Amino acid sequence: MSRVSGWVKALIVVLIVLALAWNTLAVIVTEHLWYADLGYLGVFWKRAEARVIVCIAAFAVTFAFVAINLLATKAVSRLVSTRSALVVATVAGFLAAVASYGSWMEFQQFIHATSFGKPDPIFGRDISFYVFRLPIIRQIYAGSRWVVGLTAASIMLIYLVSGALVRFGREGAEPGGPDGTAFGRRKRGRIVLEPIDARAKLHVCVLLGIGLCVIALGYALSMWGLVYSTRGVVVGASYADVHGTLPGLRLLIWLMLASAVFIIGTGLRAASTRTWVVVCITFVVLLGVSFFAIDVYPGMIQKLYVTPNELVAEREYIGHNIDFTRSAFGLDRVEESEYVVTEGITQAKLEGAADTLANVRLWDWEPLLATFEQLQEMRLYYHFADIDIGRYTIDGKTTQVMLSAREMDVSRLPSQAQTWVNTRLKYTHGYGACASPVNEIGQDGLPTFLVGDIPPRSPADMQLDRPQIYFGELTGDWVIVNTRAEEFDYPVGDSNEYSRYDADSGIRMGYLFRRLLFATRFNDSKIMFSRDITPDSQMLFARDIRERVRRIAPFLQYDGDPYAFIADGRLMWLIDGMTTSTAYPYAERFGDHLNYIRNSVKVSIDAYTGEVSFYIIDPEDPVAATYAKVFPGLFRPASEMPESIRQHLRYPEDLFKIQTRMYAMYHMTDPEVFYNKEDLWGLPREIYKGQQQEVSPYYVNMQLPGEPGVSFVLFTPFTPSRKDNMVAWLAVSSDADEYGRMVAVNFGKQRVVFGPMQIEAQIDQDAEISKMLSLWNQSGSSVIRGNLLVYPIDGSILYVEPLFLAAQASQLPQLKRVIVSDGTRVEIGPDLPEALGALVGRRTSTDMSAGIGTPDQMGEAVDRLAGPSAGAALDLYRKAQERLREGDLAGYDRFQRQLEQVLKSMADEEE
């Protein structure tokens, strides 16, 4: 019975091992198929090859070192057998391989390192040494410390237990045993430690020497690590580091190497009772010198010289930090100039800035997204995830557009409809998009649609011929297409249209083996047994575009806002890939780790086929160049990017936020000004939806000062630290021919320029606007104060803030008013032209009606006007009052606009 039980247990173990092996095989094979389908099989094999090589190298070196040392003890001791030595060495090698598994990229960067062409000021080493080579040297050191330390300790323990290393005796003792061993000695004289075996002594001395060489490497790493020191006022080697710590570390490196030679030489000499005393004294001396050189001496320099003369001592090293930080974050490329604000906005300035004013963004993404959801989602299962800002050439004019993809969200299907067939085979894709100009206000304060409805309606310049969305931001699960089940395409009244996937992408399901692989990977047996799946059906997985690109290139950092656009009749996605490092010398860190970043890679994804293309747009970035060497064929040059995609490049907002925060401090390039933080900047604040918040960077089409044309830029203003006035702004171009060009404009010290919060205060203090806001903010509705945007206009500053009105019942925000200011006064109008007209003194009767905030004011305006239309105006006024009493603000606003037209006609008649 016990024998049968043993076979059963063995069979269970075998089955478990096979199951685990099959699960692993299913993942590996399906991953291989996925990479092959995308055309990136080379990336799959390169990554696997690099991991295998690293693991084999770590295993081989560790195994050889441990095995040689353990087997060497057999000549002296019988405690270790050949089998046990090989077993221990194998285990050690396996652990080393596991520990090094994740270091494959560091090894590849070490091999394929690309020069930065910029040496560090202390050691003269190129930055590539610190970014690409030092990290792997640190890992080798960490591994060597453990392997050498544990091996040396184990060898010494073996020799001690076997009595081959030392013996305890008394000086002058005579042998007492028949074989002359120490165990039979007569006890007299003092106790001593005596070497027993010369081979054991030499072996231990060699291991100690190797250990000292490893320690010397650690000191060398500490020496190079001074470029990241935080001892001084900034990151990087300080005065005390360079004049105190650095000489001490150099001394210790040579002392360790000399001590290693000395100890190995001691092992080669004849046995002596003083051997281990000499070794111990050597280590004690090294410890003392190390403590003084690393801790005491630099501390004395810091306390006695640096602290009383900090600026004088650290000026040079502050300069290094400024230089390298600006270089690391791309701030050394910023073109700086001064912008003198001379006067307010005039009619002539508005006419000269017509191109900028034609694309002033009035719609904020949150109210617009809510409007898209209310008006264009069409069905419960459709969802707009985000609003993306871009620009298109429509009828020959550049038009700034806000667009959102209409994606499928099967989780919003009714619970009874969430069947396997529906979620996996039928509801497989979203459909179309919705797009609106950033500055147009339609009927009842709603947006106008360039692209909308199902099937999509759009101008020729934004024609969407392939509206299906199989790959997007909400497509988080796998589906199978081209099955016997019809795929839902889009709704038509009470019925539906159906379609079939018409692309070669996707993994063919094939027959039993592949179906079994996918059923195992996704833990879904229905894949095996569904009669709707045919050999020609295609598996689509990793459809979330962010997951998709991270699977291919996980070593890049990606912007958190992928954006959709229309190109060549197709819906496309672009994701910005950033190369980063934590090892750039002398550079201040952003957050807890990052101290180098570039936007060197653009990734395009076809929303229909899922095709992914990586483009290097900054060939001067050494990190991107190194990745291109590691993965030949992964990246394409920017010259191969289609023009239809190039027109929609956009500078990443996440990167710009990092750069603006760093530039707020590192625009100061004089070490003394930097040290005293004399000109520290901050990011302004604004009132949004009734709450204060930090102003976020925003995309605008504007004419930069001194530039001949309009550029699509990402823009942010600056204020002095803890103050509200505006001192500068920073803009970066997204245009293909000037991509990444950064322009910073300082307002100088001659005149105070109001910041966003100061303009918000002026708006709050305006009696007319205050009354209107109080009227609208009554029960059942709420006013949303949109983003306050800043535009430089020919020596002036234009501030623009939209006002949205949303009824609590419908949650459909309507853009009702636009507030403008030039810092000297605040005006309001139903749209931007009317508000600007009021700002420059072109106020008419229509402007007056737009600014009226209460029914009494409207009545007074009617009483002042006489003529044939007065009765009609009074009738409209009364209807507006009636709608207001009923809480119908949309109706109130409609009659107010009609009254506006009547008043305009009356004014024309008077003229």
Side-chain angles (χ1 to χ4, degrees):
M1 179 64 71
S2 61
R3 187 172 182 179
V4 174
S5 177
W7 279 106
V8 171
K9 292 179 180 178
L11 179 60
I12 292 173
V13 171
V14 169
L15 290 175
I16 292 173
V17 171
L18 289 176
L20 293 174
W22 172 253
N23 286 332
T24 303
L25 178 66
V27 172
I28 293 174
V29 173
T30 52
E31 281 291 297
H32 179 274
L33 293 171
W34 186 82
Y35 278 93
D37 176 59
L38 283 171
Y40 291 115
L41 199 54
V43 175
F44 175 86
W45 286 116
K46 180 64 178 182
R47 193 179 302 164
E49 172 193 324
R51 285 171 172 160
V52 169
I53 290 174
V54 166
C55 291
I56 289 176
F59 177 87
V61 172
T62 304
F63 175 85
F65 185 82
V66 175
I68 290 172
N69 280 280
L70 288 177
L71 291 174
T73 63
K74 290 183 62 181
V76 179
S77 171
R78 296 181 180 180
L79 289 177
V80 179
S81 65
T82 301
R83 177 179 294 180
S84 61
L86 294 178
V87 169
V88 171
T90 301
V91 172
F94 176 77
L95 294 175
V98 171
S100 63
Y101 179 80
S103 303
W104 64 274
M105 179 53 79
E106 286 79 1
F107 274 97
Q108 290 298 313
Q109 288 179 324
F110 182 91
I111 296 169
H112 300 286
T114 303
S115 173
F116 278 73
K118 185 180 179 74
D120 83 272
I122 303 300
F123 303 105
R125 291 185 175 272
D126 188 84
I127 292 174
S128 60
F129 171 78
Y130 299 97
V131 173
F132 300 129
R133 294 197 163 94
L134 196 58
I136 202 63
I137 296 174
R138 290 184 188 277
Q139 294 191 28
I140 292 173
Y141 165 71
S144 300
R145 187 175 56 183
W146 280 101
V147 172
V148 173
L150 291 176
T151 302
S154 301
I155 297 302
M156 293 176 68
L157 182 62
I158 291 170
Y159 285 144
L160 284 171
V161 171
S162 64
L165 187 59
V166 294
R167 70 179 178 184
F168 294 92
R170 291 182 180 273
E171 192 176 32
E174 297 178 1
D179 57 354
T181 64
F183 298 103
R185 291 174 183 247
R186 298 190 181 98
K187 299 179 180 179
R188 69 178 183 177
R190 59 189 177 88
I191 297 176
V192 295
L193 294 173
E194 297 178 354
I196 294 298
D197 191 286
R199 290 169 297 183
K201 182 189 72 168
L202 176 60
H203 190 182
V204 170
C205 287
V206 169
L207 284 175
L208 292 176
I210 294 174
L212 287 173
C213 290
V214 172
I215 294 173
L217 175 61
Y219 284 132
L221 290 172
S222 298
M223 179 181 69
W224 294 319
L226 291 177
V227 297
Y228 311 113
S229 172
T230 56
R231 181 196 294 270
V233 295
V234 292
V235 171
S238 65
Y239 184 93
D241 291 323
V242 173
H243 295 85
T245 307
L246 180 57
L249 288 171
R250 284 174 170 163
L251 173 64
L252 286 170
I253 291 171
W254 288 109
L255 280 178
M256 290 299 167
L257 295 176
S259 299
V261 173
F262 173 74
I263 289 177
I264 293 173
T266 299
L268 291 171
R269 289 195 291 271
S272 169
T273 58
R274 292 180 296 174
T275 298
W276 303 127
V277 175
V278 171
V279 170
C280 291
I281 292 175
T282 301
F283 276 97
V284 170
V285 170
L286 290 175
L287 286 173
V289 173
S290 174
F291 175 72
F292 180 79
I294 296 177
D295 296 315
V296 177
Y297 182 58
M300 293 172 59
I301 292 178
Q302 180 71 32
K303 184 175 181 179
L304 298 179
Y305 177 73
V306 176
T307 301
N309 310 279
E310 193 167 56
L311 177 57
V312 174
E314 302 287 12
R315 177 186 290 272
E316 176 185 353
Y317 308 103
I318 293 173
H320 296 332
N321 174 265
I322 294 172
D323 177 26
F324 279 75
T325 299
R326 287 172 61 90
S327 173
F329 289 92
L331 304 179
D332 55 340
R333 308 176 184 180
V334 176
E335 302 174 18
E336 300 178 344
S337 62
E338 187 168 326
Y339 183 84
V340 180
V341 179
T342 56
E343 57 183 0
I345 299 289
T346 63
Q347 179 65 30
K349 290 184 177 183
L350 292 181
E351 293 172 356
D355 291 338
T356 296
L357 297 175
N359 285 282
V360 169
R361 178 167 70 83
L362 301 179
W363 284 97
D364 292 339
W365 73 269
E366 286 188 64
L368 187 62
L369 182 61
T371 303
F372 280 7
E373 290 172 348
Q374 292 282 333
L375 302 180
Q376 286 286 321
E377 281 190 348
M378 307 299 186
R379 293 291 189 273
L380 288 174
Y381 39 75
Y382 286 133
H383 187 55
F384 294 105
D386 192 15
I387 295 288
D388 299 315
I389 301 178
R391 72 280 195 201
Y392 295 81
T393 301
I394 301 176
D395 296 330
K397 295 182 180 180
T398 300
T399 303
Q400 195 171 341
V401 172
M402 304 179 84
L403 179 144
S404 186
R406 187 186 291 108
E407 297 195 58
M408 174 68 68
D409 185 356
V410 294
S411 67
R412 304 177 75 177
L413 285 169
S415 57
Q416 65 272 18
Q418 293 189 23
T419 64
W420 189 86
V421 171
N422 279 348
T423 58
R424 301 301 185 187
L425 310 182
K426 185 174 182 179
Y427 291 92
T428 57
H429 58 273
Y431 196 89
C434 192
S436 296
V438 298
N439 61 338
E440 290 188 12
I441 308 172
Q443 187 176 5
D444 291 332
L446 298 176
T448 60
F449 294 104
L450 287 169
V451 180
D453 300 335
I454 297 178
R457 170 188 50 80
S458 62
D461 296 304
M462 297 184 71
Q463 186 68 36
L464 193 54
D465 301 319
R466 182 64 82 177
Q468 292 84 0
I469 304 171
Y470 284 87
F471 301 86
E473 295 183 85
L474 301 179
T475 50
D477 218 336
W478 57 270
V479 295
I480 303 175
V481 296
N482 275 341
T483 65
R484 292 189 179 96
E486 292 183 311
E487 290 181 52
F488 168 78
D489 201 24
Y490 60 87
V492 180
D494 295 332
S495 62
N496 297 322
E497 285 289 327
Y498 296 90
S499 66
R500 296 185 66 80
Y501 187 65
D502 185 23
D504 292 332
S505 57
I507 304 169
R508 303 286 173 179
M509 292 300 295
Y511 294 94
L512 179 63
F513 182 67
R514 282 197 180 180
R515 291 177 72 162
L516 183 57
L517 287 172
F518 284 117
T520 302
R521 170 161 188 161
F522 298 119
N523 193 28
D524 194 330
S525 62
K526 294 182 180 66
I527 297 176
M528 282 289 297
F529 303 113
S530 173
R531 294 183 179 182
D532 291 319
I533 300 174
T534 70
D536 291 328
S537 298
Q538 294 148 274
M539 167 66 75
L540 305 179
F541 70 94
R543 297 192 301 139
D544 184 307
I545 54 175
R546 288 159 295 200
E547 177 192 0
R548 200 167 182 82
V549 298
R550 286 192 178 100
R551 279 175 177 263
I552 300 170
F555 43 84
L556 296 175
Q557 299 292 324
Y558 295 97
D559 187 76
D561 183 24
Y563 60 98
F565 62 96
I566 298 172
D568 299 325
R570 309 176 73 89
L571 194 64
M572 302 287 293
W573 298 94
L574 263 178
I575 302 180
D576 287 282
M578 267 77 73
T579 55
T580 61
S581 177
T582 61
Y584 202 90
Y586 286 96
E588 192 70 41
R589 295 183 183 276
F590 179 81
D592 296 328
H593 56 288
L594 181 72
N595 71 353
Y596 175 89
I597 188 167
R598 289 288 188 277
N599 173 218
S600 299
V601 179
K602 296 285 185 180
V603 190
S604 68
I605 306 99
D606 191 303
Y608 186 78
T609 66
E611 179 185 356
V612 181
S613 299
F614 291 80
Y615 300 96
I616 290 184
I617 60 169
D618 184 1
E620 297 180 1
D621 176 22
V623 180
T626 299
Y627 287 144
K629 293 177 186 176
V630 175
F631 296 103
L634 172 59
F635 299 101
R636 303 179 186 181
S639 58
E640 295 184 12
M641 179 183 289
E643 184 62 29
S644 58
I645 296 178
R646 186 187 302 272
Q647 293 174 358
H648 295 281
L649 295 183
R650 201 179 77 175
Y651 200 79
E653 188 175 344
D654 286 351
L655 170 58
F656 191 62
K657 285 180 178 178
I658 292 173
Q659 290 176 315
T660 54
R661 292 187 181 279
M662 298 305 294
Y663 191 70
M665 174 174 287
Y666 282 90
H667 70 278
M668 298 180 286
T669 56
D670 181 88
E672 183 172 352
V673 174
F674 185 94
Y675 174 80
N676 292 313
K677 303 294 186 292
E678 295 177 16
D679 194 22
L680 183 63
W681 293 348
L683 296 176
R685 302 186 69 79
E686 64 175 346
I687 295 177
Y688 185 77
K689 299 175 72 173
Q691 301 292 327
Q692 279 198 31
Q693 68 172 26
E694 191 175 89
V695 172
S696 295
Y698 43 90
Y699 295 98
V700 291
N701 265 356
M702 70 162 55
Q703 184 176 4
L704 297 174
E707 301 288 333
V710 173
S711 301
F712 185 62
V713 301
L714 187 56
F715 182 97
T716 193
F718 289 102
T719 62
S721 179
R722 299 187 182 90
K723 293 184 179 180
D724 290 331
N725 61 292
M726 193 161 55
V727 292
W729 52 260
L730 180 67
V732 59
S733 176
S734 295
D735 294 340
D737 56 343
E738 291 188 328
Y739 184 84
R741 177 186 172 222
M742 302 185 77
V743 177
V745 174
N746 194 312
F747 292 130
K749 311 295 184 183
Q750 296 82 11
R751 181 172 178 176
V752 174
V753 179
F754 288 153
M757 276 304 296
Q758 291 170 320
I759 299 299
E760 298 280 19
Q762 287 190 5
I763 294 172
D764 290 335
Q765 294 164 8
D766 186 278
E768 183 177 312
I769 297 175
S770 179
K771 289 179 181 179
M772 186 188 68
L773 294 181
S774 298
L775 174 68
W776 282 0
N777 267 320
Q778 60 180 314
S779 178
S781 64
S782 61
V783 174
I784 301 173
R785 291 173 65 165
N787 294 131
L788 193 151
L789 306 185
V790 178
Y791 292 84
I793 303 288
D794 188 19
S796 302
I797 300 293
L798 175 64
Y799 307 85
V800 180
E801 180 175 281
L803 292 181
F804 301 90
L805 185 64
Q808 293 180 1
S810 66
Q811 289 299 307
L812 181 64
Q814 298 170 290
L815 205 167
K816 290 301 186 182
R817 293 290 183 270
V818 178
I819 301 174
V820 297
S821 174
D822 61 359
T824 62
R825 60 194 182 280
V826 175
E827 297 293 346
I828 189 170
D831 53 30
L832 183 63
E834 294 286 356
L836 291 176
L839 187 65
V840 297
R842 291 188 290 106
R843 187 158 216 154
T844 65
S845 59
T846 60
D847 303 311
M848 179 188 68
S849 67
I852 291 175
T854 68
D856 291 337
Q857 289 175 307
M858 287 175 28
E860 291 171 5
V862 171
D863 291 338
R864 288 196 300 268
L865 297 171
S869 298
L874 184 59
D875 183 59
L876 289 172
Y877 160 66
R878 289 169 177 168
K879 289 180 178 179
Q881 279 189 308
E882 183 179 352
R883 293 293 184 273
L884 187 60
R885 286 192 295 270
E886 294 173 355
D888 181 7
L889 295 182
Y892 166 76
D893 190 71
R894 184 170 62 255
F895 283 117
Q896 186 180 4
R897 285 179 177 271
Q898 293 176 16
L899 175 61
E900 177 181 341
Q901 297 302 318
V902 172
L903 293 172
K904 183 177 180 180
S905 298
M906 294 170 65
D908 292 340
E909 290 176 3
E910 289 179 356
E911 293 175 359

